[in-house]
Amino acid sequence: MKRVVVIGAGAAGTMAAIFSASAGAETLLLERTRDGGRKILISGGGRCNVLPMVVDASRFVTDSSPNVLRKMLRSWPLDEQVAFFERDLGIPLVDEPESSKRFPASHRARDVRDGLLAHAVAKGATLLMNSVVTDFAPIDGGWRVDREGGLPLDADTVIVATGGLSVPNTGSDGLGLRILDRLGHTMHPTYAALTPLTADEPSLAALSGVSLPVTLTARAGPRSATATGGFLFTHRGYSGPAVLDVSHVAVRSRAETATDARLTARWTTLGEREWEVALRPHGVRTVTGALRAALPDRLASVLLEMAAVDPARILSELRRDERLRLIEILTRGPLPWSGDEGYRKAEVTGGGVSLAEVDPRTMESRRHPGLYLCGEVLDAFGPIGGYNFLWAWATGRAAGRGAAREGE
Ligand SMILES: Cc1cc2nc3c(=O)[nH]c(=O)nc-3n(C[C@H](O)[C@H](O)[C@H](O)COP(=O)(O)OP(=O)(O)OC[C@H]3O[C@@H](n4cnc5c(N)ncnc54)[C@H](O)[C@@H]3O)c2cc1C
């Protein structure tokens, strides 16, 4: 019987163990924390956004080939993943159409984490919690896995599912990435992604607590990202899906270039022409009245101040230059930012092992036979909305199947 060691009982590793054990391999799942799957537990605000309702593969971010990424995703189509959760795990999912997300019907992330681990055991995998892997290396045609305070383990194949660097207290400290680098894999520099941004602009800090849907764009040299979704002013800066989805462009501009990314916001669904109409003279309506019809009051006041327009100005008296300035601010207003919350708050890690280093069908390393990679150690992440679990489930399953069958 083939002996497979899976390192990391997070989203990808637990799925890999399920499919490795289902394919008949003797499967050992090693996890450093007491219980595993801690990111699943805290995901989606404790509700776990298991999957998106629809997948747009072009929204994934990678420095590797997008075609290879698509191949990996296609290996387990969305409808089959949904069926797996509902039929095999017995976890019914519900849609949230306004956000295009899927959640467990119980709205309890714990059901997903516990259901996956229980299924791995039911399929025959052995879980070893509180087991910190310190190294893994090829030896005599197989693999040796070293653990803290335990004897080394022998394996025919090893699956690395140790995740990235984000939210370290969930168990991810980047050890897997460091060893994969040492084993000669091409690595793309890692960076915090889906992380809130900070700002020290007092007028905007006063808006803390205000939230609204916006369209944000971040641009830095050849890189850009645009996202439409929720935006939240916090006491430290900005958060919400739209901010998280463009944050990687800001983070990378800081790390890689001398020029910070430029962030701009379209604060409403109205474009230039619609604002031209909305700002036309209308009885004794003031410019504040026109803005408040489309924006939270406090934000309307701040935007008028930024545009240097008197809030009491009656629309019929609004000068052309004022109108143009205001429309500019409303449709592509600059959003000052000073930094980011880094890995401490990042939902994922960007960068990692180049996708070119693995066979997209089996997730086997092209550098080392018998070594399989899945989840966040790979150079890909998706937007908010269940895309990152989709990636973990698809690559985890493929790695589990590949590792169990390799050399058969
Ligand atoms: C706050 C937050 C909310 C999120 N919400 C969502 C969401 O709703 N939907 C979504 O799609 N994505 C969400 N994500 C992203 C998602 O959680 C990750 O993309 C996903 O968990 C990555 O899976 P993974 O298995 O690769 O890594 P992880 O889930 O991080 O698992 C890695 C595992 O490996 C273990 N490990 C690491 N090193 C060792 C070692 N040396 N020895 C033994 N074990 C080790 C860790 O303890 C951990 O259990 C969220 C992330 C965060 C931080």
Side-chain angles (χ1 to χ4, degrees):
M1 199 193 242
K2 177 150 286 171
R3 190 173 154 84
V4 176
V5 169
V6 184
I7 310 173
T14 307
M15 194 60 88
I18 289 172
F19 280 91
S20 163
S22 301
E26 181 189 335
T27 305
L28 191 59
L29 177 55
L30 304 180
E31 166 59 37
R32 75 181 310 160
T33 65
R34 181 167 38 81
D35 48 356
R38 293 199 170 181
K39 282 211 177 92
I40 300 176
L41 283 186
I42 59 171
S43 67
R47 294 199 297 142
C48 184
N49 171 202
V50 187
L51 285 167
M53 279 175 60
V54 285
V55 180
D56 174 358
S58 70
R59 298 187 66 199
F60 276 90
V61 178
T62 181
D63 285 338
S64 310
S65 154
N67 287 339
V68 175
L69 185 147
R70 281 195 176 86
K71 255 187 215 161
M72 291 171 176
L73 279 178
R74 274 201 301 264
S75 73
W76 203 15
L78 179 61
D79 55 341
E80 289 180 24
Q81 294 202 24
V82 171
F84 170 82
F85 277 93
E86 300 201 315
R87 197 189 52 218
D88 298 11
L89 290 191
I91 299 178
L93 305 181
V94 286
D95 296 349
E96 194 179 87
E98 62 275 25
S99 63
S100 198
K101 296 175 178 175
R102 286 180 216 253
F103 293 90
S106 67
H107 293 282
R108 281 163 41 118
R110 186 168 291 277
D111 292 350
V112 176
R113 196 276 305 259
D114 293 353
L116 284 164
L117 286 172
H119 200 61
V121 173
K123 290 290 171 187
T126 303
L127 313 185
L128 225 56
M129 300 295 175
N130 293 311
S131 195
V132 182
V133 170
T134 52
D135 203 358
F136 46 92
I139 180 170
D140 301 336
W143 287 82
R144 192 203 68 230
V145 179
D146 296 327
R147 294 173 299 153
E148 229 170 65
L151 291 174
L153 297 165
D154 291 325
D156 296 307
T157 56
V158 166
I159 300 175
V160 184
T162 46
L165 293 153
S166 54
V167 194
N169 63 13
T170 60
S172 333
D173 69 355
L175 179 96
L177 286 166
R178 287 197 295 280
I179 298 175
L180 293 169
D181 186 14
R182 198 194 67 210
L183 287 171
H185 296 89
T186 305
M187 311 292 290
H188 290 291
T190 47
Y191 51 90
L194 306 185
T195 195
L197 297 175
T198 57
D200 38 42
E201 183 72 27
S203 62
L204 296 173
L207 295 174
S208 175
V210 170
S211 70
L212 72 164
V214 305
T215 297
L216 271 193
T217 299
R219 272 205 187 86
R223 286 205 184 99
S224 76
T226 294
T228 298
F231 178 103
L232 172 68
F233 287 96
T234 67
H235 63 287
R236 290 176 55 83
Y238 321 115
S239 192
V243 175
L244 303 188
D245 281 344
V246 303
S247 62
H248 59 283
V249 173
V251 170
R252 298 185 86 181
S253 73
R254 271 281 155 95
E256 296 169 10
T257 63
T259 320
D260 282 353
R262 181 176 153 75
L263 256 63
T264 52
R266 194 179 77 186
W267 292 106
T268 68
T269 51
L270 308 185
E272 277 176 55
R273 290 163 66 113
E274 287 101 337
W275 272 117
E276 286 282 357
V277 174
L279 294 174
R280 274 189 198 144
H282 190 91
V284 290
R285 191 173 212 188
T286 62
V287 66
T288 297
L291 261 62
R292 284 185 176 179
L295 286 163
D297 294 0
R298 280 155 71 197
L299 178 59
S301 305
V302 169
L303 296 181
L304 281 166
E305 199 181 311
M306 283 167 91
V309 172
D310 177 357
R313 176 87 80 226
I314 294 173
L315 288 174
S316 56
E317 290 170 3
L318 191 64
R319 294 198 312 267
R320 183 170 182 275
D321 61 311
E322 290 176 323
R323 197 179 66 243
L324 293 180
R325 269 202 316 272
L326 190 53
I327 291 175
E328 172 86 12
I329 295 274
L330 288 163
T331 56
R332 39 178 186 275
L335 190 65
W337 62 283
S338 58
D340 63 83
E341 298 279 11
Y343 288 119
R344 199 171 59 83
K345 293 255 177 96
E347 291 206 4
V348 288
T349 301
V353 179
S354 167
L355 300 184
E357 297 284 30
V358 288
D359 177 336
R361 285 174 310 115
T362 61
M363 306 310 289
E364 186 174 22
S365 160
R366 295 192 193 277
R367 303 269 163 190
H368 292 279
L371 182 65
Y372 293 78
L373 315 184
C374 54
E376 219 175 294
V377 292
L378 293 163
D379 169 34
F381 71 90
I384 295 288
Y387 278 70
N388 289 296
F389 282 140
L390 176 89
W391 175 252
W393 313 138
T395 56
R397 171 181 176 265
R401 286 155 63 110
R405 290 188 184 149
E406 189 256 347
E408 263 178 0

